[in-house]
Amino acid sequence: MTASDAEIPVGIFSLVNSTITHAHATSLCVHLIVLPRVRTWLRKLLESLFPHTLFRTYSLEVGGARAKIVRHLRRRDREPVVISPFKYVLPYLSVVLPASVRRVVWLSPDALVLGDIAALSLVELNGAPAGAFEDCSRQ
C-alpha cells in the first residue's frame, strides 16, 4: 500500500516492481492511493506489466479525506496549502479504503523492497493501530 500525488508516479513503478520481484506469495494485492485522473490509467498499465498481481486504486476524495487533511494543514482559512495531502494519508486510511481491507503494509513510494514483505503482514501488533520497523539497510 502506498500513495502518490504524481501525474506519472515513477516511484510507484519502482516500488511495485521491487515488491513483486521479491515476493514469494503467488497472490498479491497492491493498493494505491493516487490522483483521481490517473486511477484507471495507472491500474490498467500496472495490470498489463504485472498480470499476476491484483491492483486496487483509490482517491483521497473518498469520504472527504482530502478535505479533512487540507483543513488540518491550513493555518488560516484563506491560506493556500503548499504541502501535498498525500504525505498525511496514513491516519485517514480507514476513510479511504473499503472496510474489507483489514490490514495493510504501508510502503513509501520512494522505497525499494529488497526482500519478501509477507512476514510484515503477520507481525502481531498487540492491539496497536500500527507498527513500524527500523531502517532495514543497517542489518
Side-chain angles (χ1 to χ4, degrees):
M1 163 116 247
T2 193
S4 174
D5 62 351
E7 289 287 333
I8 301 175
V10 178
I12 286 181
F13 294 119
S14 299
L15 173 63
V16 168
N17 183 51
S18 65
T19 302
I20 292 171
T21 299
H22 293 94
H24 297 300
T26 55
S27 64
L28 188 64
C29 184
V30 177
H31 300 270
L32 306 167
I33 301 172
V34 294
L35 296 170
R37 60 186 167 270
V38 301
R39 280 181 63 195
T40 303
W41 167 81
L42 180 62
R43 183 182 45 77
K44 287 181 179 181
L45 178 60
L46 288 169
E47 286 173 346
S48 71
L49 294 170
F50 306 101
H52 301 294
T53 303
L54 183 62
F55 292 93
R56 296 287 182 250
T57 56
Y58 307 95
S59 166
L60 274 185
E61 307 307 318
V62 174
R66 184 182 186 287
K68 291 174 185 176
I69 295 169
V70 168
R71 188 173 60 245
H72 284 91
L73 293 175
R74 188 172 281 141
R75 293 182 187 185
R76 295 180 201 99
D77 285 340
R78 296 177 190 216
E79 184 176 291
V81 173
V82 294
I83 300 171
S84 171
F86 284 80
K87 295 190 183 308
Y88 298 92
V89 72
L90 279 173
Y92 297 92
L93 287 181
S94 64
V95 175
V96 175
L97 299 177
S100 60
V101 178
R102 305 279 300 145
R103 192 167 184 161
V104 297
V105 174
W106 180 266
L107 300 168
S108 175
D110 60 353
L112 287 177
V113 176
L114 301 176
D116 188 7
I117 64 167
L120 295 177
S121 66
L122 303 174
V123 171
E124 181 58 49
L125 297 176
N126 298 320
F133 281 88
E134 292 184 36
D135 182 359
C136 298
S137 66
R138 297 181 185 187
Q139 298 179 5

